[in-house]
Amino acid sequence: MGRWICCLCSRVADPLMLLLVLALGCNPSTAATAPSVPHVKPSYSFGRTFLGLDKCNACIGTSICKKFFKEEIRFDTWLSSHLKLPPSSLLSYSGNYTDDAKSWRMVDITRLTSKYQHDRADKRICTSLLKTKTCSLERALRRTQRFQKWLRAKRLTPDLVQGLPSPMLRCPSQRLLDRIVRRYAEVPDAGSIYMDHLTDRDKLRLLYTLAVNSHPILLQIFPDVEGWPFPRYLGSCGRLVVSASTRPLRDFFGAAPEVAADLALQLLAVLGSMATNDLNYFFYFTRVDAGTFGVFSNGHLFIRDASTLGIIDKEEGSQLIDGQQEHKDIFSCLTAGCQSAFVSCDSISEQHSLVMVCQDLLPKLLTGKFLPPVQERVDAFLQRCARGLGDNGGAGEAMAELAQILKPLRSCDSRFAYRYPDCRYSDKF
């Protein structure tokens, strides 16, 4: 305290003020020699624009912003003496995350869509709603009829999400929407199906996220700690989402035969659990590609990108009435390629996701990996599966058939840490 006061002595012009400072114990002769406290410049120069905070509350959330500003989240590729931020044009980044500044773990830092698409959507909001080139996105979206309905609503109901492009909301049930409100992780957990604990700002963020990309919402409402095959949701800041890190399945297309067989078996198990589970939700993919699934460092396969997942409630069914699915407004298209044709909930079969995986992923993972007798059986199955399985049984029977071929090809060793050494003592693995 005394040293801080001394630093003021050389700057005091008022004689009365100088006497007061001297009375507090400052020696003017020491003021010139007192060491100055160095100004510590943050390693990262985080900008609100990079994070997307300048666009809030047309954003995802702010639950993990402190981690960024305290440098407890760092961009892996850009770690250096000067710690520059990565290019904002990228869709995803590798990062490191810590809770104690000693142990670090890998995370994925992603945007819900590209910055280019975000910028296009922002301009469209301003021009279509306020007839200007730039505007306050929050002010513009608050004026919409949909958001005004959200403000008045006590509960998230199917009519409030009608026409949103997310596959998750094409066939919404009240049970699913209640789960979204009850488990929305960007607000303090109230454990309630009513939206009383959501502020106007929270409602806009939830609506915006559901309109742009439902991936982070799925991670929140079906968490990995309860056994769901998704990476852990760690939080959001502006328009960036942070989740546990996985390597995309495409990195394993050239893997050894035993690794390929193991991943294919896990893929079948994931499809099975998404079709049949204790909560009676039927998950199906509207599209799959080499980045849809990912693999953790322990060899465990998860759904890396949940944005293309649709959900049908087998208990309640869809509670949208005829015609509601076609309702369109500014929230119906905040990303590229959102003008997809409407798919009836009743048209989705149990074979739907398996056929897509047989067409697009399993051939790249399993072709040319095994000795001729086994490879011929695998190829024959994939060709039949890709054509739609015909009338020879459902998806469950088909997956069991392929699993029977692949199980003897797996090995039990430390490369498969997620099931080793358990596989030595249990047939389950």
Side-chain angles (χ1 to χ4, degrees):
M1 180 69 178
R3 178 173 294 178
W4 178 81
I5 296 173
C6 288
C7 293
L8 293 175
C9 293
S10 61
R11 298 181 175 88
V12 176
D14 190 316
L16 293 177
M17 184 61 71
L18 179 59
L19 289 174
L20 175 60
V21 171
L22 290 172
L24 290 173
C26 177
N27 183 348
S29 65
T30 66
T33 59
S36 61
V37 179
H39 175 65
V40 180
K41 185 178 180 180
S43 301
Y44 281 123
S45 178
F46 271 114
R48 290 168 56 83
T49 301
F50 178 84
L51 294 169
L53 283 171
D54 59 324
K55 304 297 176 63
C56 281
N57 292 299
C59 62
I60 313 165
T62 57
S63 60
I64 209 165
C65 287
K66 286 184 179 179
K67 287 280 186 183
F68 279 105
F69 288 108
K70 291 168 66 178
E71 292 184 29
E72 293 175 346
I73 296 177
R74 293 186 172 186
F75 291 90
D76 183 54
T77 311
W78 282 266
L79 280 179
S80 63
S81 59
H82 48 278
L83 292 175
K84 289 184 178 179
L85 284 172
S88 60
S89 58
L90 299 181
L91 189 60
S92 64
Y93 313 89
S94 295
N96 290 282
Y97 175 102
T98 186
D99 288 316
D100 55 14
K102 297 178 182 178
S103 58
W104 294 78
R105 50 190 166 127
M106 292 293 295
V107 293
D108 289 333
I109 306 167
T110 57
R111 301 182 188 278
L112 297 190
T113 187
S114 69
K115 189 175 185 302
Y116 171 73
Q117 291 295 340
H118 268 311
D119 291 343
R120 279 188 61 187
D122 294 344
K123 290 179 181 178
R124 189 163 62 249
I125 291 170
C126 292
T127 55
S128 64
L129 297 180
L130 298 182
K131 312 301 180 186
T132 58
K133 291 184 178 180
T134 59
C135 68
S136 164
L137 298 175
E138 180 172 354
R139 183 164 60 91
L141 294 176
R142 278 177 173 271
R143 291 183 176 185
T144 61
Q145 182 180 3
R146 186 190 293 267
F147 187 67
Q148 289 301 312
K149 288 178 66 176
W150 274 62
L151 289 180
R152 296 189 297 269
K154 294 294 184 182
R155 192 174 182 182
L156 187 59
T157 51
D159 64 296
L160 295 177
V161 299
Q162 61 178 296
L164 294 184
S166 168
M168 181 182 73
L169 300 173
R170 286 181 182 172
C171 313
S173 69
Q174 188 59 58
R175 187 168 71 113
L176 176 63
L177 298 180
D178 288 343
R179 189 176 183 87
I180 291 174
V181 173
R182 196 171 63 247
R183 294 187 168 218
Y184 182 42
E186 287 299 311
V187 298
D189 182 15
S192 173
I193 63 174
Y194 297 101
M195 296 197 289
D196 298 335
H197 63 293
L198 300 183
T199 64
D200 294 358
R201 174 199 65 194
D202 298 328
K203 289 182 178 180
L204 182 57
R205 290 177 180 177
L206 176 57
L207 172 56
Y208 181 84
T209 307
L210 290 172
V212 175
N213 188 328
S214 59
H215 170 78
I217 302 298
L218 274 158
L219 270 55
Q220 294 168 40
I221 67 177
F222 298 108
D224 68 307
V225 293
E226 295 180 3
W228 297 96
F230 300 110
R232 180 165 301 180
Y233 177 80
L234 298 172
S236 299
C237 183
R239 289 179 168 179
L240 294 180
V241 180
V242 183
S243 59
S245 177
T246 58
R247 289 176 60 191
L249 187 61
R250 67 171 65 91
D251 290 357
F252 297 86
F253 286 162
E258 60 273 20
V259 175
D262 181 83
L263 292 174
L265 282 165
Q266 288 192 71
L267 189 50
L268 296 177
V270 167
L271 294 180
S273 68
M274 302 308 278
T276 304
N277 50 75
D278 293 341
L279 292 185
N280 247 350
Y281 288 115
F282 175 69
F283 297 77
Y284 66 93
F285 287 98
T286 57
R287 185 184 73 253
V288 296
D289 58 36
T292 300
F293 297 91
V295 183
F296 285 130
S297 58
N298 64 357
H300 207 170
L301 181 139
F302 277 62
I303 296 173
R304 188 171 188 257
D305 179 4
S307 64
T308 63
L309 272 177
I311 302 178
I312 296 174
D313 190 334
K314 293 195 286 188
E315 281 188 14
E316 294 186 0
S318 174
Q319 294 179 10
L320 280 180
I321 62 176
D322 291 341
Q324 283 188 330
Q325 295 93 336
E326 299 302 321
H327 173 84
K328 300 294 182 183
D329 63 2
I330 191 67
F331 291 100
S332 300
C333 193
L334 292 181
T335 58
C338 53
Q339 303 295 335
S340 56
F342 171 71
V343 178
S344 169
C345 303
D346 299 331
S347 68
I348 306 298
S349 70
E350 65 167 356
Q351 303 175 8
H352 181 86
S353 295
L354 176 60
V355 170
M356 296 178 71
V357 167
C358 285
Q359 291 173 340
D360 300 321
L361 296 182
L362 288 179
K364 298 173 183 175
L365 191 62
L366 299 177
T367 299
K369 291 292 174 66
F370 313 112
L371 295 175
V374 173
Q375 190 67 59
E376 290 171 3
R377 294 178 65 195
V378 170
D379 292 345
F381 173 86
L382 293 180
Q383 290 172 10
R384 179 164 55 86
C385 176
R387 291 193 298 265
L389 296 174
D391 298 323
N392 298 326
E397 292 82 355
M399 287 189 284
E401 179 185 342
L402 182 58
Q404 187 178 17
I405 300 172
L406 295 176
K407 276 184 179 180
L409 306 176
R410 290 197 305 180
S411 63
C412 181
D413 58 61
S414 57
R415 286 178 298 168
F416 310 99
Y418 80 95
R419 59 181 174 88
Y420 181 84
D422 296 340
C423 53
R424 293 194 178 278
Y425 310 106
S426 172
D427 294 336
K428 176 183 176 182
F429 298 98

